[in-house]
Structure formats: C-alpha cells, structure tokens
Amino acid sequence: MATVTTRPSHPGGSRRPSALDLAATFRNLGRNDREPGHLIVAMARYYFDLRDGCGLAIDEEGLEMPDLAAVQEEAARALADMIRDSVRGQNLDRAAVEVRDHNGPILEVGIAWRILRSNG
C-alpha cells in the first residue's frame, strides 16, 4: 500500500498532498524497494487442463505467468510432453492442452493423429 508523505506548510501545521506529492507517489507504485528501478509485475494465474483420448485432467493449482506469450510457450511444452508420453506407452489418437484463467477459457492447443497402416 502506498503512502503519501507531506511536509507541513508551516511548523506545527499540516497540508493536503500537492499534485507533485501525488505524482511522485504514483511514479513509485509497484517499484521494488530492494531493487531500485525495477518494477514488480503482478502475474495472472493460468490453469492448464490436459485432454486426451481417456478424458480431461483438470489443473487445480495453475501457474503464474507474466503474459500470453509465456502461456503459449508453456501450453506447447505441455502438449509436447503429452505426445512424447503417448508414443512411449499409451495408444492415444489425440492430445490437447486447454488453458483458462479466472474468467474462463483463453487458449487451446492440440493435435490429432491417425495410424494408416500397421507394421504388425
């Protein structure tokens, strides 16, 4: 929480914050006192639900991410992991990552494949 410090207009008196006082306070909002000049960035929480041929696994914890580009990168990474796991054991034909935030769905990335010929 930001506080505005003002100097009294005369000894023993007080005054309302001036426009300059307020401007200085707002300039410093979000600044990290331990690292001058660095802004503190509030990150949103995103939930990465995993869908495959067996159903939907709901992400109940979520991850804090700084922006949509980071969300897209994480969703692509999760999808690649799902595909790698399915090739190693499970016989799935589709995989998807459905991303949502507190307002609802924001992104879906997925892949479907079909085996045309069996070698067996």
Side-chain angles (χ1 to χ4, degrees):
M1 181 172 177
T3 58
V4 177
T5 305
T6 63
R7 290 168 298 245
S9 56
H10 60 277
S14 64
R15 66 177 176 88
R16 296 177 71 177
S18 70
L20 291 175
D21 292 327
L22 292 173
T25 298
F26 288 122
R27 267 196 313 275
N28 291 322
L29 284 178
R31 294 213 183 263
N32 184 340
D33 292 335
R34 287 179 243 138
E35 297 178 36
H38 291 88
L39 290 176
I40 298 171
V41 178
M43 294 193 288
R45 183 167 294 273
Y46 297 92
Y47 301 89
F48 295 79
D49 302 331
L50 307 178
R51 183 178 298 278
D52 62 20
C54 298
L56 180 67
I58 301 293
D59 177 4
E60 295 180 3
E61 294 179 20
L63 295 172
E64 288 185 344
M65 309 294 286
D67 55 28
L68 190 56
V71 171
Q72 290 174 321
E73 187 175 325
E74 181 61 29
R77 190 175 297 119
L79 181 63
D81 289 344
M82 288 177 69
I83 294 167
R84 188 172 23 276
D85 291 345
S86 71
V87 169
R88 290 183 180 157
Q90 298 178 351
N91 190 14
L92 302 175
D93 61 352
R94 67 180 176 271
V97 178
E98 301 170 1
V99 184
R100 58 188 164 81
D101 64 8
H102 67 279
N103 290 319
I106 61 165
L107 172 74
E108 182 178 339
V109 60
I111 188 169
W113 60 92
R114 178 172 61 129
I115 298 174
L116 299 176
R117 185 175 11 167
S118 173
N119 286 338

